[in-house]
Amino acid sequence: MAFKQLDLIDPILKALVTEGYTTPTPIQAQSIPLILEERDLLGCAQTGTGKTAAFAIPILQLLYKNKTEERGPHKIKVLILTPTRELAIQIDESFAAYGKHTGLTHTVIFGGVSQLHQTNILRRGVDILVATPGRLLDLISQGFIDLKFLKIFVLDEADRMLDMGFIHDVKRIITKLPAKRQTLFFSATMPPEIQKLANVLLTNPAYVEVTPASSTVDAIEQSLYHVDKANKLSLLQYLLKDKEIVTALVFTRTKHGADKVVKFLHKNEITAAAIHGNKSQNARQHALSHFKSGNLRVLVATDIAARGIDIDDLSHVINFDLPNVPETYVHRIGRTGRAGNTGIAISFCDAEERTELKDIQKLIGLNIPVINSHPYPLSNTNFSTPSAPAQKPSPKRSRGFGSYDKGKSRNFSGGRRQSN
Ligand code: AMP
């Protein structure tokens, strides 16, 4: 299917050509016609599936078609609520890209920076507002934002809102929306509280689902290194000798851990920067843009800071620490292997992370292939990985250093994947 077959208007088709998009992703092919029919939508999809364009394109089209002459500043007609600043900026950039020939106006607001620039734009009026919950509530209470004229509300990454403790803010925001509106609700997973919220928010919704866990996992070559905690930095340095690692996004559990990794890499003349909650918004954007442009080889991030960052052609994700929440593993490795590309995800596991590993393997339904031949093996080798179907290592990609220990895998029939 081509975008042309989705009945899109020329100003949008023209922008998609500039973006180099020809074929809609599955979530786009399913959602665009439903949103254009002005249906409410419940979308089970995560970042990396093309979700942003799946809602941004039809929203722009609906607004463009219903455009009327407005006296004075434009009123906010669309609100997109998303959990992180990085996601908010990316969504706003998507509206800018797909909507550049529509004449519609948009802006983004988020906390951690001065509000002056944001309120100046809001005073001039916008059609589309992208926001994180805290700053939105703040500016509503200061009288800078009026949602009376809202037609479309998008709740993005609802499950993350819950994880990050924003659910009460979200509920407060919902009380400020007009009852008559179109609502689009996106979440990667559907825990009961999120399901309940969806039931309250949506009226007779259409349901679309793409199975991110299985498709993401399928596209990515995963490997696991058992290593003592004290040797993780040395192992990272050793792996980065591989020139095939052009760019790597390294995940640590803590902000302090991220800074420690960066300091170590600098000492070893590897370009790196950290993004986490203690860094200013400007420092985070600066690091991200240097990483995207190839000036930085390694970006070290904590989960919250990295959530949703969109980097094309990221070759490697390295889990320096395993996440406590198994779904986070899928979110993390989904930073590579974007839009149908393959990617490589390397994970370190120390003796204290066995439970996390067990939970991750249970969720993804496979044993991550173990690389045993490396210079920093675990000092206590009395370690057994829990049973799960094994993943067939892809022959297409370099395995980096060492080789797979096939003894740990029950079979290589590939096969079953479990979606969440
Ligand atoms: P998202 O899930 O919205 O974060 O999108 C993931 C990535 O896919 C982004 O880099 C988009 O620019 C890209 N993308 C989205 N839709 C398409 C498409 N139809 N064709 C090619 N790339 C796309």
Side-chain angles (χ1 to χ4, degrees):
M1 181 194 268
F3 275 109
K4 283 198 187 100
Q5 289 162 271
L6 289 174
D7 274 336
L8 298 178
I9 51 175
D10 285 341
I12 291 176
L13 286 173
K14 201 167 135 194
L16 294 180
V17 171
T18 313
E19 289 303 299
Y21 298 1
T22 48
T23 317
T25 66
I27 186 91
Q28 291 162 6
Q30 291 177 67
S31 308
I32 291 173
L34 293 163
I35 299 172
L36 287 177
E37 282 173 23
E38 303 188 27
R39 295 273 311 265
D40 277 8
L41 185 83
L42 177 55
C44 234
Q46 71 177 45
T47 308
T49 54
K51 168 172 64 89
T52 314
F55 63 77
I57 291 170
I59 285 176
L60 285 161
Q61 176 145 332
L62 286 173
L63 282 196
Y64 186 83
K65 286 200 152 173
N66 296 321
K67 217 156 89 170
T68 50
E69 274 304 307
E70 280 187 79
R71 280 168 176 266
H74 287 203
K75 315 266 190 323
I76 297 166
K77 291 164 221 59
V78 178
L79 170 66
I80 296 107
L81 201 56
T82 193
T84 69
R85 307 178 246 204
E86 282 77 10
L87 268 173
I89 291 168
Q90 275 163 27
I91 293 170
D92 187 58
E93 285 171 354
S94 297
F95 274 97
Y98 314 142
K100 69 170 155 203
H101 305 298
T102 61
L104 294 161
T105 55
H106 57 90
T107 196
V108 58
I109 59 169
F110 46 80
V113 292
S114 149
Q115 68 174 48
L116 187 66
H117 177 65
Q118 299 174 358
T119 52
N120 282 344
I121 298 176
L122 287 168
R123 261 201 211 96
R124 292 201 291 271
V126 291
D127 299 301
I128 300 157
L129 177 65
V130 186
T132 54
R135 180 54 61 96
L136 177 66
L137 278 172
D138 196 2
L139 295 188
I140 291 176
S141 71
Q142 292 180 51
F144 287 107
I145 292 173
D146 181 0
L147 297 173
K148 258 205 314 283
F149 299 92
L150 197 84
K151 301 255 182 295
I152 305 175
F153 172 54
V154 181
L155 182 59
D156 187 37
E157 311 247 338
D159 54 351
R160 281 285 133 177
M161 295 279 194
L162 183 68
D163 290 351
M164 292 170 70
F166 293 156
I167 205 74
H168 294 294
D169 283 353
V170 172
K171 287 180 179 167
R172 275 180 61 206
I173 290 163
I174 290 164
T175 63
K176 300 181 189 299
L177 306 178
K180 191 170 173 303
R181 54 162 202 263
Q182 183 180 9
T183 303
L184 314 175
F185 188 108
F186 291 93
S187 197
T189 55
M190 277 289 162
E193 188 159 0
I194 291 304
Q195 186 64 57
K196 239 168 57 196
L197 185 64
N199 294 346
V200 172
L201 271 179
L202 298 164
T203 310
N204 187 24
Y207 179 72
V208 297
E209 182 183 10
V210 289
T211 48
S214 58
S215 55
T216 307
V217 169
D218 276 346
I220 295 164
E221 184 180 314
Q222 301 167 70
S223 58
L224 184 75
Y225 290 75
H226 292 295
V227 57
D228 287 323
K229 199 181 200 135
N231 285 332
K232 281 185 174 181
L233 285 169
S234 305
L235 178 60
L236 180 64
Q237 187 196 5
Y238 167 76
L239 291 175
L240 288 172
K241 285 183 186 149
D242 184 353
K243 293 285 175 277
E244 284 216 17
I245 305 186
V246 181
T247 52
L249 180 55
V250 174
F251 284 96
T252 59
R253 199 174 298 152
T254 64
K255 300 170 202 171
H256 175 66
D259 288 336
K260 221 167 108 182
V261 171
V262 169
K263 213 165 143 194
F264 174 83
L265 293 178
H266 282 172
K267 240 202 260 157
N268 289 282
E269 292 174 353
I270 296 168
T271 54
I275 54 168
H276 55 62
N278 285 0
K279 300 270 175 187
S280 72
Q281 179 62 12
N282 282 346
R284 286 155 71 163
Q285 283 304 317
H286 188 256
L288 194 58
S289 67
H290 275 266
F291 185 61
K292 281 184 176 184
S293 63
N295 292 336
L296 273 183
R297 189 168 171 221
V298 179
L299 189 66
V300 187
T302 56
D303 288 304
I304 289 184
R307 178 71 193 142
I309 59 173
D310 176 18
I311 304 159
D312 292 333
D313 301 327
L314 176 63
S315 66
H316 289 70
V317 164
I318 300 177
N319 291 309
F320 189 86
D321 301 312
L322 288 180
N324 298 330
V325 178
E327 282 83 1
T328 303
Y329 176 81
V330 178
H331 289 307
R332 284 183 181 183
I333 72 169
R335 307 297 98 214
T336 181
R338 282 283 174 103
N341 294 327
T342 48
I344 295 181
I346 295 168
S347 299
F348 296 175
C349 178
D350 67 36
E352 287 167 22
E353 293 175 308
R354 293 171 192 194
T355 313
E356 283 83 352
L357 177 63
K358 190 168 154 231
D359 291 345
I360 289 165
Q361 298 198 133
K362 194 168 155 217
L363 173 76
I364 63 176
L366 55 88
N367 269 353
I368 304 168
V370 176
I371 297 196
N372 276 334
S373 48
H374 64 85
Y376 304 100
L378 210 56
S379 46
N380 174 8
T381 51
N382 185 17
F383 177 79
S384 69
T385 42
S387 284
Q391 185 190 33
K392 186 176 182 174
S394 157
K396 290 193 292 281
R397 304 290 294 239
S398 149
R399 313 233 178 289
F401 290 74
S403 60
Y404 287 100
D405 174 7
K406 297 185 183 182
K408 291 245 187 266
S409 303
R410 288 202 309 211
N411 64 62
F412 280 137
S413 60
R416 195 175 70 82
R417 301 283 186 273
Q418 185 179 308
S419 61
N420 68 339

